[in-house]
Amino acid sequence: MSIQDKIREQVKGHRVVLYMKGTPQFPQCGFSATATEILKRCGVDEFFSVNVLADPDLRQGIKEYANWPTVPQLYVDGEFVGGCDIMREMYQSGELQQVLGAKKPA
Amino acid sequence: MHDTPPVTPESIRASLAEGLHCDVVEVRGDGHHFEALIVSREFDGLNRVRRHQLVYAALGDRMRQEIHALSMRTLSPAEWAAGQGR
């Protein structure tokens, strides 16, 4: 399976996916720590997280998949939502809570 | 190997102004972490993801090689005039 196929499978196979540096328990970058914290504050305790530091090919692959050069990256229902800045803005405006709370359309 | 010059807020500002039509572009930073405020008519009608992608495109290889931590706020001229981002 190609890296792009693997990423597609990950983001389509889980409702909420966070590509990050480190793990939710031990983030290894301030932006990834913030992203994790925002998800928790939105009431999302369970999400699929991927530590890109553990997989250089994946780390490069996600940049191409979303045309987005930085980490973290949040996906909800298979759609790329944004990085840390966008998560913070959407959290402050309440949009992120809506996106995370909305049921996946049938 | 040649030494690359240090990344400065001014050099990021210059790259943004060159690659994007900016009404306002302010960059602050300490050489490692940077914060940018960008107001551009090119953001009109675009969502946040598309706006950030335009900014990343303007920075090109610099984003991949030199700049490791950049926070940004991206506003259209109308949003800026309405007082967002201040």
Side-chain angles (χ1 to χ4, degrees):
Chain A
M1 195 191 306
S2 77
I3 286 288
Q4 297 300 308
D5 287 341
K6 179 176 175 180
I7 294 165
R8 190 171 300 110
E9 200 172 89
Q10 287 175 338
V11 302
K12 304 286 186 197
H14 303 85
R15 173 122 209 278
V16 180
V17 179
L18 185 69
Y19 293 96
M20 62 183 295
K21 294 180 180 176
T23 64
Q25 290 72 35
F26 296 102
Q28 292 186 42
C29 159
F31 295 111
S32 289
T34 300
T36 303
E37 179 64 26
I38 289 172
L39 285 178
K40 280 186 193 156
R41 289 196 193 177
C42 289
V44 180
D45 296 319
E46 295 278 322
F47 55 92
F48 187 77
S49 71
V50 181
N51 178 6
V52 301
L53 296 179
D55 189 337
D57 289 340
L58 191 73
R59 183 178 180 178
Q60 183 57 37
I62 60 164
K63 296 178 180 185
E64 291 157 10
Y65 188 85
N67 185 25
W68 196 263
T70 60
V71 179
Q73 295 183 5
L74 176 70
Y75 285 81
V76 178
D77 291 331
E79 296 289 328
F80 177 59
V81 174
C84 185
D85 293 337
I86 290 178
M87 287 179 69
R88 190 189 285 120
E89 280 184 27
M90 289 178 71
Y91 171 68
Q92 285 166 354
S93 70
E95 288 167 80
L96 188 62
Q97 292 88 325
Q98 281 189 347
V99 169
L100 288 165
K103 280 266 183 263
K104 186 175 182 172
Chain B
M1 253 187 80
H2 61 90
D3 289 334
T4 50
V7 183
T8 63
E10 177 51 35
S11 75
I12 294 176
R13 202 198 68 77
S15 291
L16 290 171
E18 195 179 302
L20 201 63
H21 183 101
C22 298
D23 290 8
V24 177
V25 53
E26 293 171 9
V27 183
R28 293 182 303 181
D30 59 5
H32 300 286
H33 292 80
F34 297 93
E35 286 178 26
L37 167 69
I38 304 151
V39 181
S40 172
R41 69 187 66 164
E42 294 187 48
F43 297 152
D44 273 332
L46 299 183
N47 66 22
R48 294 185 184 88
V49 168
R50 292 288 301 124
R51 293 177 184 195
H52 285 223
Q53 283 169 333
L54 280 183
V55 173
Y56 289 139
L59 293 171
D61 285 340
R62 300 196 67 196
M63 197 61 221
R64 285 182 282 278
Q65 290 158 11
E66 302 172 39
I67 305 166
H68 300 295
L70 172 69
S71 292
M72 65 177 106
R73 284 176 300 156
T74 51
L75 299 173
S76 67
E79 291 163 350
W80 174 245
Q84 291 183 36
R86 291 179 223 201

